[in-house]
Amino acid sequence: MARDAGQPALHDELMARVLDRANLQRAWKRVKANRGAPGIDGLGVEDWPTHAAEHWAQTRRQLEAGSYRPQPVRRVMIPKRSGGERPLGIPTVTDRVIQQAIAQVLTPIFDPGFSTSSHGFRPERSAHGALEQVRGHLKAGHRIAVDLDLEKFFDTVQHDVLMARVARKVRDPRLLALIGRYLRAGVLNGEDLHATDIGTPQGGPLSPLLANILLDDLDRELERRGHRFVRYADDVMILVESERAGERVMASISRYLTKTLKFTVNAHKSRVVPTDQATYLGYTFRGTKLRWSDDAFADFQHRIRQLTGRSWGVSMAYRLYKLAQYLRGWLGYFGKSEYYRPIPEIDAWIRRRLRMCYWKQWRRVRTKIKHLLALGVGKRQAILTGLSSKSYWHLSKTQATQMAMSNDWLERQGLISVRTLWLKAQGYA
């Protein structure tokens, strides 16, 4: 679908709109709501209003004069689902507020011209929308996936390539210079300060928009060639009708990414496969049906084991609260899976692990017997179970513990059902 090639902003004085009081207040509310760790100055979100009361007037004058210098970001390493770690750059709260204020002004300028196949970090769009678009292409018979992996995308963005695309619609020299300074602000890794001659750090409010501005050229090229595709940030899937077509598309788009946008395509991770062998945004496909991927489910099991680990020294009330919080979040995203069969087994497994936790917390033999009796277990069975030296895991499945800590009883303590959440996500409840 042809789209507007991009007109300049309505006027060139965008910095004034960035520094508008209402825009800054909205930016601060967003940063405050997102919380996040302190940057290199150690200043937390809760302390920033006091700091701003003393220093913001000077910061504003510097921004207006074009002399403001952002501070380097603090680098932390975040575990990746697939193993290893990815770097995250944490700006100071002041720089987060400024970046958010910039993003709020630039998003209405750039976003309306973005592709309908772009879903990441955009208003009124989501990963679920991307998955539904994939499903639409599958229903149309495009069952071969060209899965492109851009190697270290955020770390390899060429500043001149990116800024040339920002300048298509931004003519305010102060704002262009400020965005350039954010790109070159540097990274503090421990006590070592590293220059950032390339790349845009993940973690700042402006980075997702800049990524979409740069990758919009890829979207335009794919549309120009008539390809069916879906993009969520740097995660791109092109759908074609045959493996032969897929190989041609992989080769030609890889050349475009390398020569025009200056990216490296990871040949080892990029592949052309039938869609039922592809994974996208944590999901796999069976025909046109969605399932959570094996890796996503393995992550789920790992987190449940942490939350129901018997060595975690917290109250059961707090454990159940954190477990419910996690389950709601996980099913809020993965509840689109149309694979029901494992769900009753998941519920049963979680209940057993919670019975194990209760059994461990009751500790003493006398306490265990007392709880079993109070929960309706016969005296002889309660004593034999309480005296048993078998493992916590084994005893969590005995008739006595299951009778005492019944499904209804666990629900009254605060356990929520995966089945109930899944049915709700599917629209059945």
Side-chain angles (χ1 to χ4, degrees), residues 34-91:
N34 290 339
R35 300 191 62 79
I40 66 168
D41 59 0
L43 191 71
V45 170
E46 64 281 358
D47 302 317
W48 191 76
T50 301
H51 173 85
E54 184 178 350
H55 298 284
W56 179 254
Q58 179 183 0
T59 300
R60 184 186 182 97
R61 286 194 296 270
Q62 291 173 343
L63 288 164
E64 290 173 334
S67 59
Y68 178 76
R69 293 291 185 273
Q71 295 192 65
V73 300
R74 181 169 67 88
R75 172 163 288 177
V76 296
M77 303 304 292
I78 305 297
K80 293 171 66 175
R81 177 179 294 173
S82 58
E85 296 178 315
R86 66 177 177 89
L88 185 69
I90 303 178

Side-chain angles (χ1 to χ4, degrees), residues 137-195:
H137 295 325
L138 297 178
K139 289 177 180 177
H142 294 71
R143 300 291 182 93
I144 301 296
V146 180
D147 189 0
L148 283 165
D149 184 89
L150 302 182
E151 189 167 358
K152 296 182 178 179
F153 168 76
F154 284 94
D155 292 337
T156 57
V157 170
Q158 298 289 327
H159 292 173
D160 57 341
V161 177
L162 170 58
M163 291 305 299
R165 282 148 182 82
V166 175
R168 289 172 180 169
K169 294 189 177 184
V170 176
R171 301 297 176 86
D172 189 321
R174 291 178 300 170
L175 185 52
L176 286 171
L178 180 60
I179 294 171
R181 290 192 194 106
Y182 273 116
L183 294 174
R184 300 186 300 274
V187 173
L188 190 67
N189 191 0
E191 296 182 357
D192 298 324
L193 180 62
H194 301 278

Side-chain angles (χ1 to χ4, degrees), residues 126-133 232 281 283 331-336:
S126 67
H128 284 175
L131 291 163
E132 285 302 321
Q133 191 172 31
Y232 189 94
L281 302 178
Y283 278 88
L331 267 298
Y333 183 76
F334 285 104
K336 286 184 72 67

Side-chain angles (χ1 to χ4, degrees), residues 68-351:
Y68 178 76
R69 293 291 185 273
Q71 295 192 65
V73 300
R74 181 169 67 88
R75 172 163 288 177
V76 296
M77 303 304 292
I78 305 297
K80 293 171 66 175
R81 177 179 294 173
S82 58
E85 296 178 315
R86 66 177 177 89
L88 185 69
I90 303 178
T92 65
V93 179
T94 297
D95 284 322
R96 295 211 290 271
V97 171
I98 297 170
Q99 285 193 37
Q100 180 63 36
I102 295 171
Q104 288 169 182
V105 169
L106 295 189
T107 295
I109 294 172
F110 283 94
D111 190 82
F114 287 157
S115 171
T116 56
S117 296
S118 168
H119 297 267
F121 309 110
R122 295 185 59 194
E124 308 301 324
R125 289 178 174 269
S126 67
H128 284 175
L131 291 163
E132 285 302 321
Q133 191 172 31
V134 170
R135 182 145 54 178
H137 295 325
L138 297 178
K139 289 177 180 177
H142 294 71
R143 300 291 182 93
I144 301 296
V146 180
D147 189 0
L148 283 165
D149 184 89
L150 302 182
E151 189 167 358
K152 296 182 178 179
F153 168 76
F154 284 94
D155 292 337
T156 57
V157 170
Q158 298 289 327
H159 292 173
D160 57 341
V161 177
L162 170 58
M163 291 305 299
R165 282 148 182 82
V166 175
R168 289 172 180 169
K169 294 189 177 184
V170 176
R171 301 297 176 86
D172 189 321
R174 291 178 300 170
L175 185 52
L176 286 171
L178 180 60
I179 294 171
R181 290 192 194 106
Y182 273 116
L183 294 174
R184 300 186 300 274
V187 173
L188 190 67
N189 191 0
E191 296 182 357
D192 298 324
L193 180 62
H194 301 278
T196 47
D197 298 322
I198 62 170
T200 173
Q202 297 184 69
L206 190 56
S207 291
L209 175 60
L210 294 178
N212 276 333
I213 290 171
L214 180 55
L215 288 172
D216 185 57
D217 273 27
L218 171 61
D219 299 342
R220 292 177 186 278
E221 183 65 17
L222 291 170
E223 288 176 348
R224 187 185 67 79
R225 299 184 187 193
H227 293 313
R228 293 176 181 247
F229 72 98
V230 181
R231 182 174 67 79
Y232 189 94
D234 60 326
D235 203 341
V236 186
M237 179 181 280
I238 307 168
L239 294 121
V240 297
E241 293 181 309
S242 70
E243 289 195 28
R244 186 172 181 179
E247 296 293 349
R248 287 199 304 269
V249 170
M250 173 71 80
S252 63
I253 296 301
S254 295
R255 283 194 300 271
Y256 172 81
L257 287 165
T258 301
K259 293 181 178 180
T260 304
L261 298 184
K262 311 300 181 185
F263 287 119
T264 300
V265 176
N266 189 326
H268 297 292
K269 292 185 178 180
S270 299
R271 56 188 190 146
V272 176
V273 292
T275 49
D276 61 2
Q277 297 176 28
T279 300
Y280 193 64
L281 302 178
Y283 278 88
T284 58
F285 309 93
R286 295 294 181 269
T288 62
K289 294 184 180 294
L290 294 171
R291 293 188 183 186
W292 55 61
S293 70
D294 291 342
D295 285 345
F297 188 59
D299 287 346
F300 170 81
Q301 290 177 304
H302 176 70
R303 184 59 180 146
I304 293 297
R305 287 191 182 96
Q306 289 180 323
L307 291 168
T308 58
R310 64 178 190 265
S311 60
W312 189 25
V314 297
S315 70
M316 287 303 298
Y318 182 75
R319 186 191 297 271
L320 285 161
Y321 164 74
K322 296 301 290 184
L323 179 62
Q325 188 180 55
Y326 176 72
L327 289 175
R328 286 193 182 97
W330 199 84
L331 267 298
Y333 183 76
F334 285 104
K336 286 184 72 67
S337 173
E338 298 166 274
Y339 185 39
Y340 175 77
R341 193 174 70 182
I343 288 175
E345 298 173 6
I346 295 169
D347 270 332
W349 176 61
I350 292 173
R351 288 193 296 265

Side-chain angles (χ1 to χ4, degrees), residues 7-14 17 105 108-109 169-171:
Q7 298 297 319
L10 294 177
H11 58 77
D12 299 334
E13 295 297 321
L14 291 179
R17 290 167 58 183
V105 169
I109 294 172
K169 294 189 177 184
V170 176
R171 301 297 176 86

